[in-house]
Amino acid sequence: MRILVSSDLHYNIPRSRASAEDLAARACRTGGDALVLVGDTAGADMGPFREALRLFEGFGGLKALVPGNHCLWAYGGGDSLHRYRVELPALAAQEGFVLLDHQPQTLGGVGLAGSIGWYDYSFADESLGIPLAFYRAKLSPGAANYLGRRELVAAHAADLNDRHMSMGVRWMDGQYVKLGMSDEEFTALLAETLRGQLETLSASCERIVAFLHHLPFAGLVPRGRPDRFKFAAAFLGAGRLGEVLMQFPKVTNVFCGHSHWRSRVQIDQMDVLAMGSTYIEKHLDVLEL
Ligand SMILES: [Fe+2]
Ligand SMILES: [Fe+2]
């Protein structure tokens, strides 16, 4: 069995389109039993999401995806949870794709589990010493200061230093993702849904491959990078998702997107790969089972 995997096509972003089209052509030429896109296929506008899926019209196997955080972006009064539960699955179905988050698959004895995954700040870089309130606001202290959140800075002034105030980073999900619950609550919800999938698949499959947009293990998080990237580490994933995966010995492979930084860890029996697709370079990984 051959499973093709890619991620972060970001087809709504002009500089990403050529490499996404090239990736899709390669996938269709290579062929396989299944193709899985591990998130950030496009952004708030659903048009490019549909166009991106249509690039794979020539692929003959099962076509599946998990959304990424960018796929939940909603402008104006949009509802990200509704996008996740209703709009994205419906649009994907029209283009011949299943959302693994809601429809895990079984293929020749192999289970395909999936989740957008999320972040609960468990991967925040503690060496920065930034108070949790800034991660919840998705603004570094410097950004909070110049974006009119001075009350946040004032409330934590005793814990802030010049280094903090020189960091002007905002995580844009703060602007465009409206879940109606906290990131911690959403992560917990996803972890339990993933656990349910893995329980069901474990009963009927010989092995399981899992696909998560966000990172489930801290070992995949890029380290030693400049401060603006260190702040972003908090939004790369959640250890809680990894804890769920570790409870299921039939999970042999895990594929992730999101970090745009290729890294790989072995956790027990699991080979866990962050694919490292970027805006201008897309990876196509081939898993032969
Ligand atoms: Fe991405
Ligand atoms: Fe992402």
Side-chain angles (χ1 to χ4, degrees):
M1 172 177 311
R2 177 188 291 166
I3 302 173
L4 305 187
V5 193
S6 192
S7 75
D8 297 274
L9 296 189
H10 289 285
Y11 201 53
N12 56 310
I13 294 176
R15 72 180 193 276
S16 231
R17 287 177 78 94
S19 55
E21 288 162 7
D22 176 64
L23 178 281
R26 272 189 285 148
C28 293
R29 266 199 316 273
T30 305
D33 300 287
L35 162 81
V36 185
L37 302 178
V38 195
D40 282 356
T41 298
D45 182 355
M46 291 292 222
F49 185 79
R50 185 188 296 280
E51 289 174 47
L53 300 189
R54 286 188 177 169
L55 297 175
F56 299 93
E57 262 173 352
F59 184 82
L62 170 74
K63 291 187 276 194
L65 61 87
V66 301
N69 55 313
H70 285 256
C71 303
L72 297 199
W73 282 19
Y75 298 141
D79 176 346
S80 297
L81 208 53
H82 191 259
R83 278 175 81 96
Y84 180 57
R85 289 176 170 162
V86 179
E87 295 166 45
L88 290 169
L91 195 155
Q94 287 170 10
E95 302 304 330
F97 276 74
V98 294
L99 248 75
L100 291 176
D101 306 56
H102 312 306
Q103 291 178 280
Q105 302 289 308
T106 304
L107 205 62
V110 178
L112 307 181
S115 175
I116 185 172
W118 204 249
Y119 45 81
D120 58 4
Y121 326 126
S122 53
F123 294 165
D125 190 324
E126 289 182 9
S127 73
L128 290 176
I130 291 177
L132 182 61
F134 291 93
Y135 293 112
R136 290 209 168 112
K138 303 188 175 77
L139 295 171
S140 67
N145 194 43
Y146 71 70
L147 289 170
R149 295 292 307 275
R150 300 244 165 90
E151 87 292 348
L152 194 58
V153 175
H156 298 277
D159 300 315
L160 299 176
N161 56 36
D162 289 348
R163 181 187 182 194
H164 297 146
M165 298 312 295
S166 71
M167 291 171 61
V169 187
R170 62 203 297 212
W171 190 252
M172 296 306 288
D173 288 358
Q175 190 119 337
Y176 298 123
V177 175
K178 312 268 185 320
L179 291 169
M181 68 181 91
S182 70
D183 295 314
E184 294 99 319
E185 287 168 329
F186 189 46
T187 302
L189 205 64
L190 295 171
E192 286 318 299
T193 304
L194 180 63
R195 182 193 306 282
Q197 285 194 7
L198 296 174
E199 281 171 358
T200 304
L201 292 173
S202 290
S204 60
C205 298
E206 291 154 32
R207 65 190 291 177
I208 299 169
V209 184
F211 303 89
L212 284 81
H213 180 63
H214 292 75
L215 308 178
F217 295 105
L220 296 166
V221 174
R223 297 290 175 196
R225 307 204 68 208
D227 277 1
R228 64 183 188 281
F229 292 108
K230 283 185 181 165
F231 182 74
F235 309 104
L236 292 190
R240 190 166 186 155
L241 298 162
E243 287 164 19
V244 171
L245 290 167
M246 287 171 69
Q247 289 165 16
F248 294 89
K250 288 187 178 178
V251 179
T252 56
N253 300 81
V254 182
F255 290 89
C256 316
H258 190 53
S259 59
H260 295 206
W261 181 271
R262 195 163 173 95
S263 55
R264 184 170 226 144
V265 292
Q266 184 78 28
I267 307 280
D268 299 335
Q269 80 290 352
M270 290 183 285
D271 175 39
V272 189
L273 176 68
M275 299 199 60
S277 289
T278 67
Y279 290 114
I280 53 169
E281 185 190 11
K282 315 299 180 190
H283 289 286
L284 180 68
D285 278 79
V286 181
L287 179 63
E288 303 272 6
L289 300 175

